[in-house]
Amino acid sequence: AVSTDLVINLRGLDPFKRTLGRLSPQRLERLLDSVGAMLESQTRERLAEGKKDPEGKPWTPWSPDYAERRPPKGGLLELSGDLIDSIAFETSASTVTVGSNMVYALTHQEGDSKRGIPARPYLGVSDDDLEDIGDVVMRFIAREMWS
């Protein structure tokens, strides 16, 4: 299966690097799990409800030909719900990876000009997502400082 992963360097968290660097591996893993769960949820919402890329740009609608022959259920990128269900995150010692193992996931993310499939990016981090991540990190650090 093809995997579509998004790796983001959260430079906005630089002021917290010193504090994050002092966390035990287990505590850092708990923080990354919280961030990963949030990113997974935001990605699933984008697929199910938002129908926009991480920057807020609406996805290209179906072509009239495809819209005519497509089954009358689901919306863009959610015919069976398999892509939404496949979104998952993994953490390692210092990273969170969000993606899908569906064979067609990369095609939907990047498009395929040879087959006339436009890119409909669903993986990524919006400015609102970054704010949410910052909030999670700040709350986590505050709890760590007081525990």
Side-chain angles (χ1 to χ4, degrees), residues 69-127:
R69 67 180 193 275
R70 187 182 188 285
K73 68 174 191 169
L76 285 170
L77 301 188
E78 67 167 327
L79 178 61
S80 66
D82 290 345
L83 182 59
I84 294 169
D85 291 346
S86 74
I87 300 299
F89 74 92
E90 291 181 359
T91 57
S92 68
S94 62
T95 63
V96 175
T97 303
V98 178
S100 168
N101 64 354
M102 300 303 290
V103 172
Y104 53 81
L106 185 61
T107 299
H108 289 309
Q109 177 74 18
E110 296 182 359
D112 184 339
S113 60
K114 291 179 184 174
R115 294 188 293 161
I117 300 171
R120 293 185 178 102
Y122 54 93
L123 292 171
V125 177
S126 70
D127 289 342

Side-chain angles (χ1 to χ4, degrees), residues 58-63 76 118 120:
W59 291 335
T60 303
W62 297 312
S63 69
L76 285 170
R120 293 185 178 102

Side-chain angles (χ1 to χ4, degrees), residues 18-78:
R18 186 171 166 201
T19 302
L20 293 172
R22 290 186 295 205
L23 293 176
S24 70
Q26 295 82 8
R27 287 182 168 171
L28 181 58
E29 186 175 342
R30 278 202 319 259
L31 171 59
L32 293 176
D33 283 343
S34 295
V35 170
M38 175 183 291
L39 289 170
E40 178 183 314
S41 174
Q42 291 165 335
T43 302
R44 288 173 184 258
E45 190 281 329
R46 192 174 292 124
L47 284 162
E49 303 293 329
K51 308 300 182 191
K52 296 177 182 177
D53 71 17
E55 295 175 6
K57 181 180 171 191
W59 291 335
T60 303
W62 297 312
S63 69
D65 287 343
Y66 181 73
E68 232 176 78
R69 67 180 193 275
R70 187 182 188 285
K73 68 174 191 169
L76 285 170
L77 301 188
E78 67 167 327

